[in-house]
């Protein structure tokens, strides 16, 4: 083990951000955090607050804090904790609780919080007394980052908040040190290179673990030295630019189906990668698995080679081996030809859909014009069903940690919280980069009230609601009126439908932001350009599309079941 070089130590610093909703008994905790120099962002729902705090962990490498009240407040935050754990992002949740003297008496919002959080976190504890608080907080912060990152919970009893303690009795602790970095076994690295050299159809898969691990520089060197094709997972986009000549994201299904050797970097063989199993993968595929967690090795598919260690350190080992060895995958192989042919074919289909001039617009037309206007350095937050899936293919990312979406847990409602976290971080960079939150109308509804938070803190977030009047699909206004004439809509309206042409733009305008109702390409481009030019207020573009608009036919849709 060794500690990271000085060029990455900058992201090991004190906790800077706290998100939450205050009330009895934790108002004073928020005030004390501000007095200590922590930036406090008050949210409208504890779930969104926890989403935001966890996104801070991903974006900065240091956990955000989430402060919640007892009982229902903590329960609302559990969804954010579970999402953080599934995504392997560090976050520390601090919850107020009933007074210690009132335990088991039916106290106000009494709930077994420490026990409940054990299902959703790596560490859950209540300091036994005031003296122990610093040590417990330090352990929570350290545990959230060390090993596989995740959520940690610290319970603060109400009677502790305003209690006094003799400073001489307090066990003060230092800020936790940088993570020790583990290298893969040298023989395993040699074996991995041997397996790669023997491959006829190799593929590098880059996951969000590579983004979190700051492996982008070493990965670029490795890919360009080896000339291997790479495929990013949804939040692996941008670790290397989507327009890199070795990126084969446009031939995703073909690449997964035909590859014979996969180098798996910071990703897991879960549902996102179809578990690494047939029929999505060749049954004989060899997996070279790189992961920080020993328990992950062999999940669903036994690895041909297991490289246990820090993602950036292991990629550096692989890169350094190639620098000495000089091996490079040929560019004139049948594999490269197959992938490029499929990429060209898919691009033609998407372009044909994007250039359709019918009204209402379809998904592809909307994303085509959005992609032409977005700056290359913007952070894209996205959620929804078709909105997220199509947007993933059409809205490119060029920088690491610049795409946040529903993630491993497939969580809807994360978008506004993620966007707020990204905007707060970017504001600290003296203007920073634009944050664009692309939402399906259903997904927006989970956390839509957070637009008030955006307006309150003057965060220049651009929210684009791609509105098809429903969950997956909806109905047009005329059909809705006809259904209403037929009787009780609770018995008639399809469960996936939402109110047609709901005015989400007016929600943003009500709080002082810009609201735009968009029906045409011209209105879309004008509204987006105006929003990009305004760094003072948030905007919401309510983009009305054809309720029956859908994805192009998929060879292997994400959530279809396979016959295993």
């Amino acid at each position: 083990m060794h500690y990271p070089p000085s060029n990455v130590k900058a992201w090991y610093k004190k906790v800077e951000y706290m998100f939450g909703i205050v009330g009895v008994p934790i108002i004073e905790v928020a005030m004390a955090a501000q007095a200590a120099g922590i930036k406090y962002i008050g949210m409208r729902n504890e779930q969104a607050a926890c989403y935001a705090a966890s996104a801070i962990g991903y974006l900065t490498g240091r956990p955000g804090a989430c402060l919640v009240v007892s009982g229902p407040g903590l329960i609302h935050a559990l969804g954010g904790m579970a999402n953080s754990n599934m995504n392997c992002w560090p976050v520390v949740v601090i919850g107020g609780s009933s007074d210690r003297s009132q335990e088991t008496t039916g106290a106000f919002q009494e709930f077994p919080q420490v026990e409940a959080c054990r299902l959703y976190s790596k560490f859950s504890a209540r300091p036994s007394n005031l003296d122990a608080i610093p040590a417990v907080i330090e352990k929570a912060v350290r545990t959230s980052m060390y090993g596989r990152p995740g959520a940690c919970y610290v319970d603060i009893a109400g009677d502790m908040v305003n209690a006094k303690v003799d400073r001489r009795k307090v066990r003060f602790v230092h800020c936790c040190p940088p993570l020790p970095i583990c290298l893969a076994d040298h023989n395993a690295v040699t074996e991995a290179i041997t397996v790669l050299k023997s491959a006829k159809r190799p593929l590098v898969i880059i996951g969000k673990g590579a983004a979190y691990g700051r492996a982008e520089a070493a990965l670029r060197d490795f890919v360009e030295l080896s000339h291997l094709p790479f495929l990013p997972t949804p939040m692996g986009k941008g670790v290397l630019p989507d327009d890199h000549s070795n990126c084969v994201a446009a031939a995703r299904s073909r690449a997964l189906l035909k590859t014979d050797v996969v180098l798996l970097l910071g990703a897991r063989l879960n549902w996102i990668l179809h578990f690494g199993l047939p029929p999505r993968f060749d049954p004989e595929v060899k997996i070279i698995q790189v992961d920080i967690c020993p328990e992950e090795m062999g999940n669903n598919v036994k690895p041909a080679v297991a490289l246990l260690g820090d993602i950036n350190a292991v990629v550096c080992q692989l890169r350094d081996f190639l620098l000495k060895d000089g091996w490079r995958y040929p560019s004139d192989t049948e594999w490269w030809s197959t992938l490029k042919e499929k990429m060209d074919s898919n691009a033609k289909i998407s372009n044909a859909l994007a250039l359709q001039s019918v009204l209402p617009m379809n998904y592809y037309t909307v994303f085509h014009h959005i992609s032409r206007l977005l700056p290359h350095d913007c952070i894209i937050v996205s959620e929804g069903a078709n909105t997220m899936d199509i947007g993933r293919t059409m809205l490119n990312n060029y920088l690491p940690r610049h795409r946040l979406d529903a993630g491993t847990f497939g969580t809807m409602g994360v978008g506004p919280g993620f966007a707020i976290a990204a905007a707060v971080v970017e504001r600290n960079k003296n203007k920073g980069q634009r944050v664009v939150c692309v939402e399906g109308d259903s997904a927006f509804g989970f956390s839509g009230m957070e637009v008030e938070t955006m307006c309150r803190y003057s965060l220049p977030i651009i929210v684009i609601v791609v509105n098809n009047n429903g969950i997956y699909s909806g109905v047009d206004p005329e059909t809705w009126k006809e259904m209403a004439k037929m009787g009780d809509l609770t018995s008639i309206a399809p469960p996936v439908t939402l109110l047609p042409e709901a005015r989400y733009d007016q929600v943003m305008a009500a709080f002082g932001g810009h609201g735009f109702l968009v029906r045409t390409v011209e209105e879309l481009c004008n509204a987006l350009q105006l929003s990009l030019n305004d760094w003072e207020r948030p905007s919401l573009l309510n983009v009305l599309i054809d309720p029956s608009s859908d994805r192009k036919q998929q060879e292997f849709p994400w959530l279809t079941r396979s016959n295993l």
Side-chain angles (χ1 to χ4, degrees), residues 383-529:
E383 61 174 332
N386 290 334
T387 298
M388 182 174 65
D389 291 344
I390 299 171
R392 181 189 303 117
T393 65
M394 298 192 69
L395 301 179
N396 283 348
N397 291 93
Y398 303 92
L399 295 169
R401 297 167 297 283
H402 276 54
R403 178 182 169 87
L404 300 115
D405 67 21
T408 307
F409 213 23
T411 308
M412 295 299 152
V414 296
F418 284 0
I420 288 167
V424 169
V425 171
E426 292 304 312
R427 171 172 285 178
N428 271 5
K429 298 179 182 177
N430 298 321
K431 204 171 188 179
Q433 295 158 352
R434 294 311 303 258
V435 178
V436 180
C437 184
V438 185
E439 299 271 303
D441 51 333
S442 171
F444 177 72
F446 285 93
S447 303
M449 189 54 72
E450 297 302 337
V451 298
E452 187 274 333
T453 307
M454 299 175 192
C455 291
R456 186 172 5 120
Y457 291 103
S458 300
L459 299 172
I461 297 165
I462 301 171
V463 181
I464 302 174
V465 178
V466 184
N467 187 352
N468 72 343
N469 305 339
I471 303 166
Y472 303 113
S473 63
V475 298
D476 59 73
E478 292 305 314
T479 302
W480 184 262
K481 290 178 184 177
E482 290 301 316
M483 288 193 302
K485 293 177 183 177
M486 295 168 61
D488 184 356
L489 284 170
T490 60
S491 302
I492 297 168
V496 295
T497 55
L498 298 173
L499 183 69
E501 300 189 355
R503 295 298 302 272
Y504 302 111
D505 51 299
Q506 293 182 350
V507 177
M508 177 66 86
F511 294 115
H514 297 295
F516 300 94
L517 180 65
V518 171
R519 295 181 185 272
T520 67
V521 168
E522 183 180 11
E523 290 172 347
L524 172 63
C525 294
N526 289 341
L528 183 52
Q529 192 60 67

Side-chain angles (χ1 to χ4, degrees), residues 96-109:
S97 62
S98 49
D99 292 2
R100 289 171 291 180
S101 62
Q102 296 176 349
E103 283 187 2
T104 74
T105 66
F108 176 66
Q109 296 183 335

Side-chain angles (χ1 to χ4, degrees), residues 234-248:
M235 272 191 276
K237 283 166 58 69
V239 175
L240 298 184
D242 282 342
D243 62 353
H244 193 285
S245 59
N246 290 50
C247 181
V248 296

Side-chain angles (χ1 to χ4, degrees), residues 69-305:
V69 298
S70 53
L74 184 276
I75 292 169
H76 291 166
L78 293 178
M81 293 174 67
N83 189 66
S84 181
N85 255 9
M86 291 294 184
N87 277 335
C88 306
W89 293 353
V91 67
V92 175
V93 177
I94 300 172
S97 62
S98 49
D99 292 2
R100 289 171 291 180
S101 62
Q102 296 176 349
E103 283 187 2
T104 74
T105 66
F108 176 66
Q109 296 183 335
E110 183 179 358
F111 188 74
Q113 297 180 183
V114 175
E115 294 87 343
C117 286
R118 289 197 176 111
L119 287 174
Y120 301 88
S121 63
K122 294 179 67 181
F123 171 78
S124 179
R126 171 192 276 191
S128 57
N129 51 59
L130 291 174
D131 309 359
I133 288 178
V136 173
I137 291 290
E138 188 277 338
K139 183 169 184 177
V141 171
R142 175 163 42 86
T143 303
S144 75
M145 295 189 300
Y146 279 34
R148 171 163 283 175
C152 291
Y153 175 69
V154 177
D155 194 76
I156 304 294
D159 56 305
M160 290 177 123
V161 173
N162 290 311
K164 295 182 179 181
V165 63
D166 186 342
R167 290 180 63 89
R168 293 171 298 179
K169 296 182 179 179
V170 177
R171 180 191 165 199
F172 288 104
V173 293
H174 294 289
C175 184
C176 63
L179 283 69
I181 301 301
C182 300
L183 297 172
D185 178 77
H186 175 75
N187 292 332
V189 173
T190 303
E191 186 180 358
I193 295 293
T194 300
V195 173
L196 278 174
K197 285 182 178 181
S198 68
K200 292 182 179 179
R201 299 178 302 280
L203 180 67
V204 178
I205 297 180
I206 299 174
K208 67 177 175 290
Y212 178 80
R214 272 62 179 173
E216 54 267 18
L219 253 175
R220 181 185 283 270
D221 290 345
F222 173 77
V223 165
E224 293 178 356
L225 280 168
S226 65
H227 191 56
L228 291 169
F230 74 86
L231 173 70
T233 64
M235 272 191 276
K237 283 166 58 69
V239 175
L240 298 184
D242 282 342
D243 62 353
H244 193 285
S245 59
N246 290 50
C247 181
V248 296
R252 179 185 185 275
S253 292
R254 184 64 53 86
L256 295 179
L257 181 62
K258 298 295 185 181
T259 181
D260 61 350
V261 172
V262 170
L263 176 59
L264 191 66
L265 298 172
R268 288 168 280 175
L269 293 176
N270 54 24
W271 68 273
I272 292 177
L273 289 173
H274 311 294
F275 314 105
L277 297 172
R280 276 63 165 175
F281 283 80
D282 187 299
E284 302 300 322
V285 68
K286 295 179 180 178
I287 306 292
I288 302 168
Q289 190 171 6
V290 180
D291 205 284
I292 192 68
C293 179
E295 292 83 356
E296 186 63 34
M297 298 299 184
N299 268 354
N300 297 318
V301 177
K302 180 181 178 181
V305 185

